[in-house]
Amino acid sequence: MAIKPKKASENKEKAKARTTFQSPKGMRDILPREQAWWQRVMKTSKEIAEFYNFLRIETPIMEDVALFERSLGLDSDVVSKEMFYVRAGGKDRYVLRPEGTAPIARAYIENGLHHISQPVKLYYEGSMFRHEKPQAGRLREFHQLGFEIMGGQNDPIYDAQIILATHRLLEGLKFKNLQLQVNSIGCRVCRPHFRKKLLDYYRKHERALCEDCKKRLKTNPLRLLDCKEASCVALKEHAPSLMDSLCTSCSSHFKSVLEYLDELALSYTLNPYLVRGLDYYSKTVFEIFVDGFDLALAGGGRYDYLFEMIGGRPTPGVGAALGVERIIEVMKQKEIDVPQPKKPRVFVVYIGDLAKRKALKIVEELRVNNIAVKESFGKDLLKKQMQLADKGEAEYALILGQKEVFEESVIIRDLKSGNQESVPVLKMVQELKKRL
Ligand code: AMP
């Protein structure tokens, strides 16, 4: 009798009746098969951070809503549309952190880090949360690595050092053809003049702006320069340039940053239209791109007003954040190799219940002696276990049957040649070490 194909509606009904769950939209599981990439990125970032003397800091995953409202700005995309509120005790006072800098500045103030030697150099890694439209390279939970230099003087050498550490981290991950874009967005003195120039220009062309930019014209005109809509990109080409509006102090700060970059032979492109979406930035801003990938891998800048915005005393600061998922995506795209975990060279095989019981103890003895082993306690059939030993690319099998249990011995079998030898359990470690 022919089997009828299932109707699409039948499948839909089944899907509805399903009681399983999925991870929240835009949030992903990081499975064991991904770990080699993650570990490579974390290892390199730790090495770079330690080399440049950044100290590790961790802050809670959620913070007071007001911390971000005040520092990123109420009109920023992140605060106005992308925050995840945490409902607890009937109130929405906390949000999942959308970025790492404001929480670290909060920690600096709260823990009196200005009492230690300045500036304080910190690094972090962790999950950030933004309710964005999920797409390639844009997630709702993503991981950032970041560097911050807080306190001391607002010396341009620190801007250069932050850019250097970020660049070296990407180079350490074997990225080639990195493109560093830099700009200065000025300070409280010069930015209002630029804002006015920008408004005058865009008001003349308001009708050609996208709907979002029409709103930005009223709330955050600098962000008009950041829009990716074709009509707004075209208008930007003739927009006034930030660099022509910098005050003497900002322009000399920026010049020094560029001189340091020249000194380090770090090539860069001046992008007079680079602005960053958060209110706390001032003076230097930058982003790093890689060939063949449209989205920035890293971004950062100076934030000399941040501490005041959140109730601290005026404190200079500069920092950068790198997106781990984007980095890994590009590493895979560019087929950058990562070391795979080492495969255990010994596989423990047992035959029968009694041997199974002894096998557990034998595995422990090998662990204590630093010999990496694998076993398969769920598969009692000898044939299955031997297949797994071969598949796992082990070099030796340690075979334990009833006879061996009574004799207190094990068989060491060379899986390539098929040669095997019975050795007393007491000598097992010694014999294995000789062969490995
Ligand atoms: P930002 O905090 O916006 O300056 O972002 C710094 C870096 O974090 C970016 O260059 C990206 O690599 C990464 N990033 C920012 N937003 C996302 C997102 N929604 N999904 C994945 N990575 C992101």
Side-chain angles (χ1 to χ4, degrees), residues 329-361:
E329 203 176 316
V330 179
M331 284 171 84
K332 286 183 182 168
Q333 241 178 49
K334 300 207 177 277
E335 294 178 5
I336 295 177
D337 273 345
V338 288
Q340 295 298 323
K342 276 199 199 124
K343 300 227 163 75
R345 294 165 71 187
V346 180
F347 199 101
V348 174
V349 173
Y350 58 89
I351 310 150
D353 283 348
L354 196 54
K356 185 172 182 176
R357 215 180 305 154
K358 293 285 174 207
L360 188 62
K361 204 169 142 207

mmCIF file of all heavy atoms in Angstrom, residues 329-361:
data_model
loop_
_atom_site.group_PDB
_atom_site.id
_atom_site.type_symbol
_atom_site.label_atom_id
_atom_site.label_comp_id
_atom_site.label_asym_id
_atom_site.label_seq_id
_atom_site.Cartn_x
_atom_site.Cartn_y
_atom_site.Cartn_z
ATOM 1 N N GLU A 329 32.543 35.109 13.625
ATOM 2 C CA GLU A 329 31.929 34.941 12.308
ATOM 3 C C GLU A 329 32.973 35.198 11.205
ATOM 4 O O GLU A 329 33.079 34.439 10.247
ATOM 5 C CB GLU A 329 30.773 35.933 12.184
ATOM 6 C CG GLU A 329 29.750 35.504 11.155
ATOM 7 C CD GLU A 329 28.582 36.475 11.130
ATOM 8 O OE1 GLU A 329 28.113 36.856 12.224
ATOM 9 O OE2 GLU A 329 28.179 36.850 10.017
ATOM 10 N N VAL A 330 33.745 36.264 11.389
ATOM 11 C CA VAL A 330 34.749 36.589 10.370
ATOM 12 C C VAL A 330 35.887 35.564 10.384
ATOM 13 O O VAL A 330 36.394 35.176 9.332
ATOM 14 C CB VAL A 330 35.285 38.025 10.566
ATOM 15 C CG1 VAL A 330 36.343 38.356 9.530
ATOM 16 C CG2 VAL A 330 34.157 39.034 10.490
ATOM 17 N N MET A 331 36.254 35.096 11.582
ATOM 18 C CA MET A 331 37.316 34.080 11.647
ATOM 19 C C MET A 331 36.907 32.846 10.843
ATOM 20 O O MET A 331 37.715 32.262 10.128
ATOM 21 C CB MET A 331 37.579 33.668 13.107
ATOM 22 C CG MET A 331 38.367 34.683 13.890
ATOM 23 S SD MET A 331 38.421 34.259 15.647
ATOM 24 C CE MET A 331 39.784 33.115 15.696
ATOM 25 N N LYS A 332 35.624 32.483 10.960
ATOM 26 C CA LYS A 332 35.150 31.301 10.226
ATOM 27 C C LYS A 332 35.122 31.595 8.733
ATOM 28 O O LYS A 332 35.575 30.783 7.932
ATOM 29 C CB LYS A 332 33.750 30.916 10.708
ATOM 30 C CG LYS A 332 33.757 30.279 12.070
ATOM 31 C CD LYS A 332 32.356 29.868 12.440
ATOM 32 C CE LYS A 332 32.309 29.277 13.821
ATOM 33 N NZ LYS A 332 30.932 29.139 14.312
ATOM 34 N N GLN A 333 34.588 32.780 8.394
ATOM 35 C CA GLN A 333 34.518 33.178 6.979
ATOM 36 C C GLN A 333 35.893 33.166 6.337
ATOM 37 O O GLN A 333 36.066 32.722 5.217
ATOM 38 C CB GLN A 333 34.016 34.617 6.929
ATOM 39 C CG GLN A 333 32.715 34.794 6.188
ATOM 40 C CD GLN A 333 32.302 36.256 6.255
ATOM 41 O OE1 GLN A 333 33.088 37.163 5.989
ATOM 42 N NE2 GLN A 333 31.060 36.481 6.629
ATOM 43 N N LYS A 334 36.874 33.639 7.066
ATOM 44 C CA LYS A 334 38.220 33.757 6.506
ATOM 45 C C LYS A 334 39.053 32.501 6.770
ATOM 46 O O LYS A 334 40.253 32.490 6.540
ATOM 47 C CB LYS A 334 38.927 34.983 7.090
ATOM 48 C CG LYS A 334 38.190 36.280 6.790
ATOM 49 C CD LYS A 334 39.111 37.462 6.768
ATOM 50 C CE LYS A 334 38.394 38.726 6.390
ATOM 51 N NZ LYS A 334 38.211 38.948 4.970
ATOM 52 N N GLU A 335 38.373 31.492 7.278
ATOM 53 C CA GLU A 335 39.001 30.192 7.564
ATOM 54 C C GLU A 335 40.270 30.339 8.395
ATOM 55 O O GLU A 335 41.313 29.742 8.104
ATOM 56 C CB GLU A 335 39.273 29.440 6.262
ATOM 57 C CG GLU A 335 37.965 29.078 5.578
ATOM 58 C CD GLU A 335 38.133 28.373 4.252
ATOM 59 O OE1 GLU A 335 39.281 28.077 3.880
ATOM 60 O OE2 GLU A 335 37.100 28.126 3.617
ATOM 61 N N ILE A 336 40.181 31.184 9.434
ATOM 62 C CA ILE A 336 41.303 31.317 10.364
ATOM 63 C C ILE A 336 41.237 30.115 11.308
ATOM 64 O O ILE A 336 40.219 29.879 11.955
ATOM 65 C CB ILE A 336 41.186 32.646 11.160
ATOM 66 C CG1 ILE A 336 41.326 33.837 10.201
ATOM 67 C CG2 ILE A 336 42.231 32.699 12.274
ATOM 68 C CD1 ILE A 336 41.152 35.199 10.834
ATOM 69 N N ASP A 337 42.324 29.337 11.318
ATOM 70 C CA ASP A 337 42.333 28.098 12.117
ATOM 71 C C ASP A 337 42.403 28.383 13.602
ATOM 72 O O ASP A 337 43.064 29.321 14.018
ATOM 73 C CB ASP A 337 43.554 27.262 11.747
ATOM 74 C CG ASP A 337 43.238 26.379 10.567
ATOM 75 O OD1 ASP A 337 42.042 26.234 10.263
ATOM 76 O OD2 ASP A 337 44.192 25.852 9.955
ATOM 77 N N VAL A 338 41.731 27.547 14.375
ATOM 78 C CA VAL A 338 41.872 27.643 15.824
ATOM 79 C C VAL A 338 42.291 26.275 16.334
ATOM 80 O O VAL A 338 41.906 25.260 15.759
ATOM 81 C CB VAL A 338 40.549 28.071 16.515
ATOM 82 C CG1 VAL A 338 40.254 29.518 16.246
ATOM 83 C CG2 VAL A 338 39.386 27.198 16.124
ATOM 84 N N PRO A 339 43.114 26.223 17.389
ATOM 85 C CA PRO A 339 43.530 24.911 17.890
ATOM 86 C C PRO A 339 42.325 24.133 18.404
ATOM 87 O O PRO A 339 41.522 24.678 19.146
ATOM 88 C CB PRO A 339 44.503 25.250 19.025
ATOM 89 C CG PRO A 339 44.443 26.720 19.236
ATOM 90 C CD PRO A 339 43.638 27.344 18.157
ATOM 91 N N GLN A 340 42.186 22.912 17.968
ATOM 92 C CA GLN A 340 41.073 22.072 18.436
ATOM 93 C C GLN A 340 41.512 21.392 19.731
ATOM 94 O O GLN A 340 42.712 21.173 19.932
ATOM 95 C CB GLN A 340 40.717 21.019 17.379
ATOM 96 C CG GLN A 340 40.172 21.606 16.075
ATOM 97 C CD GLN A 340 38.874 22.382 16.270
ATOM 98 O OE1 GLN A 340 38.026 22.010 17.073
ATOM 99 N NE2 GLN A 340 38.731 23.505 15.550
ATOM 100 N N PRO A 341 40.545 21.065 20.623
ATOM 101 C CA PRO A 341 40.946 20.410 21.867
ATOM 102 C C PRO A 341 41.691 19.112 21.579
ATOM 103 O O PRO A 341 41.365 18.405 20.624
ATOM 104 C CB PRO A 341 39.618 20.128 22.577
ATOM 105 C CG PRO A 341 38.540 20.605 21.687
ATOM 106 C CD PRO A 341 39.123 21.230 20.466
ATOM 107 N N LYS A 342 42.678 18.829 22.429
ATOM 108 C CA LYS A 342 43.482 17.613 22.216
ATOM 109 C C LYS A 342 42.618 16.378 22.437
ATOM 110 O O LYS A 342 41.819 16.333 23.368
ATOM 111 C CB LYS A 342 44.642 17.595 23.209
ATOM 112 C CG LYS A 342 45.799 18.397 22.722
ATOM 113 C CD LYS A 342 47.064 17.979 23.477
ATOM 114 C CE LYS A 342 48.084 19.073 23.344
ATOM 115 N NZ LYS A 342 48.570 19.568 24.605
ATOM 116 N N LYS A 343 42.806 15.385 21.573
ATOM 117 C CA LYS A 343 42.026 14.151 21.732
ATOM 118 C C LYS A 343 42.754 13.244 22.706
ATOM 119 O O LYS A 343 43.973 13.076 22.610
ATOM 120 C CB LYS A 343 41.908 13.461 20.376
ATOM 121 C CG LYS A 343 41.218 14.312 19.332
ATOM 122 C CD LYS A 343 40.162 13.498 18.611
ATOM 123 C CE LYS A 343 39.177 14.360 17.879
ATOM 124 N NZ LYS A 343 39.670 14.938 16.654
ATOM 125 N N PRO A 344 42.010 12.609 23.652
ATOM 126 C CA PRO A 344 42.663 11.653 24.555
ATOM 127 C C PRO A 344 43.286 10.509 23.751
ATOM 128 O O PRO A 344 42.710 10.040 22.777
ATOM 129 C CB PRO A 344 41.518 11.143 25.434
ATOM 130 C CG PRO A 344 40.446 12.144 25.286
ATOM 131 C CD PRO A 344 40.593 12.766 23.950
ATOM 132 N N ARG A 345 44.471 10.087 24.169
ATOM 133 C CA ARG A 345 45.192 9.062 23.403
ATOM 134 C C ARG A 345 44.895 7.647 23.909
ATOM 135 O O ARG A 345 45.315 6.672 23.307
ATOM 136 C CB ARG A 345 46.693 9.366 23.467
ATOM 137 C CG ARG A 345 46.993 10.675 22.737
ATOM 138 C CD ARG A 345 48.363 11.198 23.084
ATOM 139 N NE ARG A 345 49.409 10.371 22.495
ATOM 140 C CZ ARG A 345 50.707 10.544 22.779
ATOM 141 N NH1 ARG A 345 51.084 11.479 23.614
ATOM 142 N NH2 ARG A 345 51.604 9.760 22.227
ATOM 143 N N VAL A 346 44.180 7.556 25.045
ATOM 144 C CA VAL A 346 43.884 6.234 25.616
ATOM 145 C C VAL A 346 42.375 6.075 25.784
ATOM 146 O O VAL A 346 41.696 6.997 26.228
ATOM 147 C CB VAL A 346 44.557 6.091 27.003
ATOM 148 C CG1 VAL A 346 44.267 4.725 27.611
ATOM 149 C CG2 VAL A 346 46.053 6.333 26.903
ATOM 150 N N PHE A 347 41.862 4.902 25.400
ATOM 151 C CA PHE A 347 40.427 4.633 25.533
ATOM 152 C C PHE A 347 40.263 3.405 26.431
ATOM 153 O O PHE A 347 40.888 2.375 26.203
ATOM 154 C CB PHE A 347 39.845 4.354 24.144
ATOM 155 C CG PHE A 347 38.353 4.517 24.085
ATOM 156 C CD1 PHE A 347 37.788 5.668 23.557
ATOM 157 C CD2 PHE A 347 37.509 3.513 24.565
ATOM 158 C CE1 PHE A 347 36.409 5.817 23.498
ATOM 159 C CE2 PHE A 347 36.135 3.657 24.518
ATOM 160 C CZ PHE A 347 35.585 4.815 23.984
ATOM 161 N N VAL A 348 39.448 3.534 27.461
ATOM 162 C CA VAL A 348 39.261 2.412 28.377
ATOM 163 C C VAL A 348 38.052 1.578 27.935
ATOM 164 O O VAL A 348 36.959 2.099 27.778
ATOM 165 C CB VAL A 348 39.071 2.922 29.830
ATOM 166 C CG1 VAL A 348 38.741 1.761 30.762
ATOM 167 C CG2 VAL A 348 40.328 3.641 30.300
ATOM 168 N N VAL A 349 38.303 0.296 27.719
ATOM 169 C CA VAL A 349 37.255 -0.606 27.236
ATOM 170 C C VAL A 349 37.004 -1.681 28.305
ATOM 171 O O VAL A 349 37.964 -2.209 28.863
ATOM 172 C CB VAL A 349 37.723 -1.277 25.927
ATOM 173 C CG1 VAL A 349 36.743 -2.339 25.469
ATOM 174 C CG2 VAL A 349 37.943 -0.233 24.839
ATOM 175 N N TYR A 350 35.733 -1.986 28.576
ATOM 176 C CA TYR A 350 35.446 -3.006 29.589
ATOM 177 C C TYR A 350 34.506 -4.059 29.020
ATOM 178 O O TYR A 350 33.722 -3.771 28.108
ATOM 179 C CB TYR A 350 34.821 -2.351 30.842
ATOM 180 C CG TYR A 350 33.563 -1.595 30.501
ATOM 181 C CD1 TYR A 350 32.308 -2.238 30.524
ATOM 182 C CD2 TYR A 350 33.621 -0.259 30.129
ATOM 183 C CE1 TYR A 350 31.167 -1.556 30.186
ATOM 184 C CE2 TYR A 350 32.477 0.426 29.788
ATOM 185 C CZ TYR A 350 31.247 -0.225 29.814
ATOM 186 O OH TYR A 350 30.131 0.444 29.447
ATOM 187 N N ILE A 351 34.595 -5.257 29.587
ATOM 188 C CA ILE A 351 33.680 -6.323 29.151
ATOM 189 C C ILE A 351 33.038 -6.904 30.395
ATOM 190 O O ILE A 351 33.708 -7.505 31.227
ATOM 191 C CB ILE A 351 34.435 -7.444 28.389
ATOM 192 C CG1 ILE A 351 35.314 -6.803 27.286
ATOM 193 C CG2 ILE A 351 33.457 -8.440 27.769
ATOM 194 C CD1 ILE A 351 36.551 -7.614 26.997
ATOM 195 N N GLY A 352 31.729 -6.693 30.535
ATOM 196 C CA GLY A 352 30.994 -7.238 31.683
ATOM 197 C C GLY A 352 30.883 -6.244 32.833
ATOM 198 O O GLY A 352 31.630 -5.257 32.907
ATOM 199 N N ASP A 353 29.924 -6.549 33.733
ATOM 200 C CA ASP A 353 29.595 -5.625 34.830
ATOM 201 C C ASP A 353 30.729 -5.401 35.812
ATOM 202 O O ASP A 353 30.981 -4.281 36.250
ATOM 203 C CB ASP A 353 28.388 -6.164 35.616
ATOM 204 C CG ASP A 353 27.112 -5.901 34.857
ATOM 205 O OD1 ASP A 353 27.200 -5.119 33.876
ATOM 206 O OD2 ASP A 353 26.063 -6.466 35.215
ATOM 207 N N LEU A 354 31.388 -6.486 36.148
ATOM 208 C CA LEU A 354 32.459 -6.392 37.144
ATOM 209 C C LEU A 354 33.587 -5.496 36.611
ATOM 210 O O LEU A 354 34.100 -4.603 37.305
ATOM 211 C CB LEU A 354 32.983 -7.808 37.443
ATOM 212 C CG LEU A 354 33.820 -7.955 38.695
ATOM 213 C CD1 LEU A 354 33.068 -7.423 39.909
ATOM 214 C CD2 LEU A 354 34.186 -9.428 38.893
ATOM 215 N N ALA A 355 33.901 -5.700 35.343
ATOM 216 C CA ALA A 355 34.966 -4.908 34.702
ATOM 217 C C ALA A 355 34.539 -3.446 34.622
ATOM 218 O O ALA A 355 35.358 -2.540 34.785
ATOM 219 C CB ALA A 355 35.248 -5.456 33.321
ATOM 220 N N LYS A 356 33.245 -3.239 34.384
ATOM 221 C CA LYS A 356 32.746 -1.858 34.292
ATOM 222 C C LYS A 356 33.015 -1.131 35.608
ATOM 223 O O LYS A 356 33.434 0.021 35.640
ATOM 224 C CB LYS A 356 31.247 -1.885 33.983
ATOM 225 C CG LYS A 356 30.636 -0.524 33.747
ATOM 226 C CD LYS A 356 29.200 -0.686 33.261
ATOM 227 C CE LYS A 356 28.546 0.641 32.963
ATOM 228 N NZ LYS A 356 27.204 0.474 32.421
ATOM 229 N N ARG A 357 32.756 -1.855 36.707
ATOM 230 C CA ARG A 357 32.943 -1.244 38.019
ATOM 231 C C ARG A 357 34.413 -0.882 38.243
ATOM 232 O O ARG A 357 34.747 0.184 38.698
ATOM 233 C CB ARG A 357 32.464 -2.215 39.102
ATOM 234 C CG ARG A 357 31.837 -1.457 40.255
ATOM 235 C CD ARG A 357 31.353 -2.372 41.347
ATOM 236 N NE ARG A 357 30.423 -3.385 40.864
ATOM 237 C CZ ARG A 357 30.252 -4.557 41.462
ATOM 238 N NH1 ARG A 357 30.955 -4.887 42.515
ATOM 239 N NH2 ARG A 357 29.373 -5.428 40.993
ATOM 240 N N LYS A 358 35.297 -1.791 37.827
ATOM 241 C CA LYS A 358 36.742 -1.530 37.999
ATOM 242 C C LYS A 358 37.210 -0.425 37.048
ATOM 243 O O LYS A 358 38.120 0.345 37.362
ATOM 244 C CB LYS A 358 37.547 -2.803 37.704
ATOM 245 C CG LYS A 358 37.313 -3.896 38.695
ATOM 246 C CD LYS A 358 38.038 -3.606 40.003
ATOM 247 C CE LYS A 358 37.661 -4.645 41.050
ATOM 248 N NZ LYS A 358 37.761 -4.172 42.392
ATOM 249 N N ALA A 359 36.560 -0.347 35.874
ATOM 250 C CA ALA A 359 36.990 0.627 34.854
ATOM 251 C C ALA A 359 36.885 2.046 35.388
ATOM 252 O O ALA A 359 37.751 2.884 35.134
ATOM 253 C CB ALA A 359 36.136 0.477 33.600
ATOM 254 N N LEU A 360 35.844 2.307 36.164
ATOM 255 C CA LEU A 360 35.652 3.655 36.706
ATOM 256 C C LEU A 360 36.856 4.043 37.568
ATOM 257 O O LEU A 360 37.356 5.169 37.510
ATOM 258 C CB LEU A 360 34.354 3.696 37.520
ATOM 259 C CG LEU A 360 33.918 5.071 37.992
ATOM 260 C CD1 LEU A 360 33.647 5.981 36.810
ATOM 261 C CD2 LEU A 360 32.663 4.965 38.854
ATOM 262 N N LYS A 361 37.320 3.050 38.339
ATOM 263 C CA LYS A 361 38.451 3.309 39.231
ATOM 264 C C LYS A 361 39.745 3.493 38.422
ATOM 265 O O LYS A 361 40.573 4.343 38.742
ATOM 266 C CB LYS A 361 38.595 2.121 40.194
ATOM 267 C CG LYS A 361 39.293 2.493 41.461
ATOM 268 C CD LYS A 361 39.164 1.380 42.471
ATOM 269 C CE LYS A 361 40.476 1.268 43.231
ATOM 270 N NZ LYS A 361 40.696 -0.077 43.723
#
